[in-house]
Amino acid sequence: MKKLLIPALLSALLVGCSTTPLPEDNAGAPVESRSGSSSGVAPVTAGGLDASGLPRELTDPKSKLSQRSIYFDLDKYEVKDEYKDLVAAHAKYLNANKGFKVLLQGNTDERGSREYNLSLGQKRAEAVKRSLSLLGVSEGQIESVSLGEEKPKNAGHDDSAWAENRRADILYKAADGRGEF
Amino acid sequence: MNEMSRISRRIFLVFSLLTAGLASAQLSIEITGAGANRIPVSIVDFPGDPSASRVITATVRADLERSGLFKLIDNAGLAIDENAAVNYGDWKSRGADALASGSIARSTDGRMEARFRLYDTQKAVSLGGAAYVTNNAQLRAAGHRIADFIYEKLTGEKGVFSTRIAYVVKSRGQFLLQIADSDGQNAATALTSSEPIISPVWSPDGGRLAYVSFEKKKPVVYVHSLASGQRHIVANFKGSNSAPGWSPDGRKLAVVLSKDGFSQLYSVQADGSGLQRITQSSGIDTEPRYSADGGTIFFTSDRGGSPQVYQVGANGGEARRVTFEGSYNVSPRPSPDGKSLAFISRREGRFQLAVMDLASRQVQVLSDSHKDESPSFAPNSRMILIATEVGGRGVLSAVSSDGRIKQRLTVAAGDVREPAWGPYFQ
């Protein structure tokens, strides 16, 4: 045991002298994939994970998948046509990454009963869930819940504030449990 | 400026900061209406311990005054004990139909006994009396008990001064579930959370609250024992869990779950076991409240196209529509006496408290505000507590079920919402 350990420690020290050790998260999988790649070079995206432990493509503002909000008209609970591409992009990602889960949070504006609004927010979350399901996302990857009027994005009391609060948000969680919920 | 006055000024500043901090946690009450025929009553000072007497008689007088049903007659600074002969003619000429006298006796173990007697000056008879053993911390509670006795003797209905209320304060990004006496005093925080808390409801025994907390990033129903602070989850199914309503026997809760799609009514034992589905609709069913006899449940549903109040058997079955006027009638709350139903009705864009007489189905709008929410009956069915908005801030308002008497309760430092009036003191 000792004989095997010492060279391993030495090589670790030597590597340590020449380069800064990478944190485990950013080290990626190049060593294992080397044999599988025909060129012998694994493509690595720098900084694969963001602060919440999610892949950058879910949070990078340049990625379509970073768009997580679907807005609804007053007293309406259908996903509007302008959000069909967005929902499709998330469905494609979830179908390709079965380990990922989403929490769909429905929201309403502040007018009316808190509990009734909770149920209306649920209707909005359900509408997004149905769209994802129709595109093949499995039931086990989706939970739809409602925050009702309790967590307004815009704390104002006018039409534009209310429009911002009639919304469903998509939150992601990776297979290892890290993520946004 | 000499050293002494500088010190005293500093002390004064510290003192006022402290009292400002205390004041912000208290509800203050403003009365904006009164009953048509107020009973004139005089509460004299109670001989014995003067400071204890002041606390008790001030509590009794404030309670009676706040109810809007009594007119307090000046007691001319008199201190009269409960056994002293009453000069009925004298009190009649002062305008008092009733008179309460009493005394405070301190026992050797440091406790106090507050005795009192109530007299009818018109009929020149005693209406009875009582004695409450109390300590300094409970003096106001003794005052509430005396006020309840006087209220019941003179109106024929049970008083609710000894009851407690629960409500949620939103202040500096925190949500506080608070419990206070019915006059807003003695506020204590049962739960502090950085996520919203809604829909608190009292168990019929007054020892527990059920509510919805968002601390798990989604609505989950909890039951919380107030004395021990112990809480447990009653409903945390996939989806949203909300709108708890206790059965009158305190064994079950009606809850709203979205685990099978849209919001539907279920019942569950208070320990979270024995889940049963009550409604099966293709839309929203929510805000369940058991009727006083426990046999039926009033709830809100959009099954007819707009949110309206319906009634269904406690175990399910065919639902019957209860409200018809207007396109938005929500938050049904049957009165404890089973005679009426309070709910929130949208009229010309304003959300207002309305009450339906369940026998005649007559509806009366009780408020002139625009953002009423979450009505809650006092256990004697005489007053209804609601959340409303004044100047952009959440306040509580108590309205008599005939709409004549209105009280407003505000917290200096925040928004108050989601009131729930507790059961009778047990």
Side-chain angles (χ1 to χ4, degrees):
Chain A
M1 267 312 266
K2 263 180 196 164
K3 272 179 196 165
L4 282 172
L5 263 175
I6 289 161
L9 281 169
L10 275 174
S11 65
L13 277 171
L14 284 170
V15 170
C17 289
S18 58
T19 63
T20 313
L22 290 167
E24 209 178 320
D25 289 353
N26 291 344
V31 177
E32 282 175 20
S33 57
R34 188 171 291 166
S35 58
S37 160
S38 58
S39 65
V41 178
V44 175
T45 312
L49 298 176
D50 76 352
S52 62
L54 291 178
R56 284 266 151 78
E57 58 181 316
L58 289 173
T59 52
D60 183 346
K62 279 178 270 179
S63 161
K64 180 135 191 119
L65 293 168
S66 72
Q67 293 170 37
R68 308 289 195 77
S69 294
I70 291 151
Y71 293 88
F72 292 79
D73 289 340
L74 176 64
D75 286 336
K76 291 284 185 285
Y77 312 94
E78 300 88 39
V79 177
K80 288 191 277 186
D81 282 345
E82 62 186 285
Y83 295 105
K84 291 277 152 75
D85 287 352
L86 178 60
V87 172
H90 285 287
K92 192 178 164 201
Y93 186 84
L94 287 165
N95 285 328
N97 298 276
K98 296 284 186 193
F100 282 72
K101 288 182 174 164
V102 284
L103 183 68
L104 308 173
Q105 293 178 328
N107 296 272
T108 67
D109 67 42
E110 63 180 342
R111 292 169 293 173
S113 149
R114 289 178 187 276
E115 281 289 357
Y116 189 68
N117 282 341
L118 196 69
S119 293
L120 292 179
Q122 187 69 37
K123 258 187 158 172
R124 292 192 170 131
E126 289 293 327
V128 179
K129 180 183 174 178
R130 227 174 11 253
S131 302
L132 289 172
S133 297
L134 286 172
L135 295 167
V137 181
S138 79
E139 179 84 7
Q141 281 177 282
I142 317 170
E143 179 170 11
S144 54
V145 302
S146 177
L147 304 179
E149 63 175 275
E150 306 306 324
K151 303 276 280 182
K153 193 179 197 174
N154 186 327
H157 307 285
D158 53 22
D159 286 338
S160 68
W162 292 332
E164 235 181 292
N165 295 333
R166 289 191 297 268
R167 194 182 78 252
D169 290 331
I170 304 171
L171 278 66
Y172 271 87
K173 185 155 82 179
D176 63 4
R178 288 187 298 171
E180 297 158 336
F181 66 96
Chain B
M1 189 192 291
N2 64 35
E3 192 65 21
M4 203 56 209
S5 72
R6 209 175 298 149
I7 289 169
S8 65
R9 182 169 293 190
R10 233 174 257 159
I11 289 168
F12 175 74
L13 185 69
V14 169
F15 181 73
S16 45
L17 283 173
L18 280 172
T19 50
L22 287 173
S24 67
Q26 294 286 3
L27 285 170
S28 56
I29 296 187
E30 179 194 327
I31 307 160
T32 58
N37 300 305
R38 293 186 295 157
I39 302 166
V41 57
S42 190
I43 315 295
V44 296
D45 296 337
F46 293 4
D49 186 315
S51 68
S53 169
R54 254 196 310 278
V55 174
I56 288 184
T57 54
T59 303
V60 176
R61 290 180 192 127
D63 281 350
L64 296 176
E65 175 106 83
R66 202 177 63 254
S67 75
L69 299 181
F70 299 93
K71 185 176 163 215
L72 285 171
I73 303 295
D74 183 27
N75 69 348
L78 292 168
I80 305 170
D81 78 55
E82 71 280 7
N83 293 318
V86 176
N87 185 340
Y88 293 113
D90 187 26
W91 288 103
K92 258 199 316 206
S93 68
R94 287 174 204 263
D97 287 357
L99 170 79
S101 58
S103 64
I104 313 278
R106 200 176 275 274
S107 65
T108 47
D109 63 359
R111 291 192 298 172
M112 278 170 277
E113 193 173 73
R115 301 159 177 268
F116 75 98
R117 189 168 285 282
L118 180 67
Y119 297 92
D120 180 333
T121 63
Q122 300 287 335
K123 293 181 185 148
V125 291
S126 161
L127 296 173
Y132 299 113
V133 175
T134 179
N135 57 30
N136 266 328
Q138 295 294 315
L139 282 172
R140 302 188 76 262
H144 292 314
R145 301 286 291 278
I146 294 169
D148 280 336
F149 184 100
I150 296 170
Y151 183 98
E152 185 167 356
K153 286 290 175 193
L154 298 182
T155 69
E157 291 172 359
K158 272 186 94 164
V160 293
F161 304 119
S162 297
T163 58
R164 296 192 289 175
I165 57 172
Y167 50 88
V168 176
V169 177
K170 187 184 179 195
S171 177
R172 299 183 193 95
Q174 294 268 295
F175 296 85
L176 311 175
L177 176 61
Q178 295 199 318
I179 315 295
D181 292 348
S182 68
D183 60 358
Q185 299 291 309
N186 266 335
T189 302
L191 179 69
T192 304
S193 178
S194 55
E195 296 294 335
I197 303 164
I198 63 166
S199 308
V201 271
W202 290 85
S203 64
D205 64 8
R208 290 165 294 166
L209 282 176
Y211 52 79
V212 178
S213 168
F214 289 71
E215 65 201 69
K216 294 187 188 294
K217 306 284 177 199
K218 58 177 266 189
V220 171
V221 179
Y222 291 78
V223 164
H224 185 132
S225 296
L226 292 172
S228 67
Q230 282 188 332
R231 52 206 291 263
H232 67 267
I233 288 172
V234 173
N236 182 14
F237 294 92
K238 193 172 180 183
S240 298
N241 308 263
S242 68
W246 290 92
S247 64
D249 64 9
R251 288 190 192 155
K252 278 195 294 190
L253 289 152
V255 291
V256 171
L257 309 179
S258 71
K259 70 185 191 71
D260 301 315
F262 292 152
S263 303
Q264 293 285 294
L265 309 190
Y266 297 76
S267 69
V268 66
Q269 302 294 314
D271 65 2
S273 68
L275 186 73
Q276 284 184 316
R277 188 161 175 175
I278 299 170
T279 56
Q280 310 261 359
S281 75
S282 56
I284 290 171
D285 291 344
T286 187
E287 302 188 303
R289 288 297 159 115
Y290 284 90
S291 57
D293 64 9
T296 64
I297 291 172
F298 290 92
F299 66 103
T300 306
S301 177
D302 69 349
R303 59 184 67 193
S306 67
Q308 298 289 345
V309 176
Y310 289 77
Q311 193 175 10
V312 70
N315 296 313
E318 200 68 32
R320 195 166 57 94
R321 187 166 163 177
V322 176
T323 56
F324 291 92
E325 233 177 296
S327 61
Y328 192 98
N329 294 301
V330 297
S331 309
R333 309 287 200 260
S335 64
D337 65 12
K339 289 180 183 160
S340 51
L341 181 80
F343 59 100
I344 300 297
S345 186
R346 187 177 64 199
R347 312 217 162 192
E348 290 158 11
R350 289 144 58 106
F351 297 90
Q352 298 179 315
L353 173 65
V355 169
M356 176 187 284
D357 179 274
L358 285 171
S360 68
R361 302 271 150 169
Q362 288 279 321
V363 174
Q364 190 191 354
V365 175
L366 294 189
S367 75
D368 50 10
S369 39
H370 64 99
K371 206 170 178 290
D372 295 346
E373 285 180 6
S374 310
S376 173
F377 269 101
N380 66 359
S381 303
R382 163 69 79 159
M383 300 286 288
I384 303 160
L385 194 56
I386 52 168
T388 188
E389 205 181 82
V390 173
R393 230 179 56 194
V395 302
L396 304 186
S397 177
V399 186
S400 63
S401 24
D402 62 6
R404 286 190 169 168
I405 304 154
K406 291 193 172 98
Q407 306 162 359
R408 183 178 299 160
L409 300 83
T410 46
V411 166
D415 265 319
V416 206
R417 72 272 289 271
E418 298 295 273
W421 206 318
Y424 284 121
F425 175 84
Q426 289 179 341

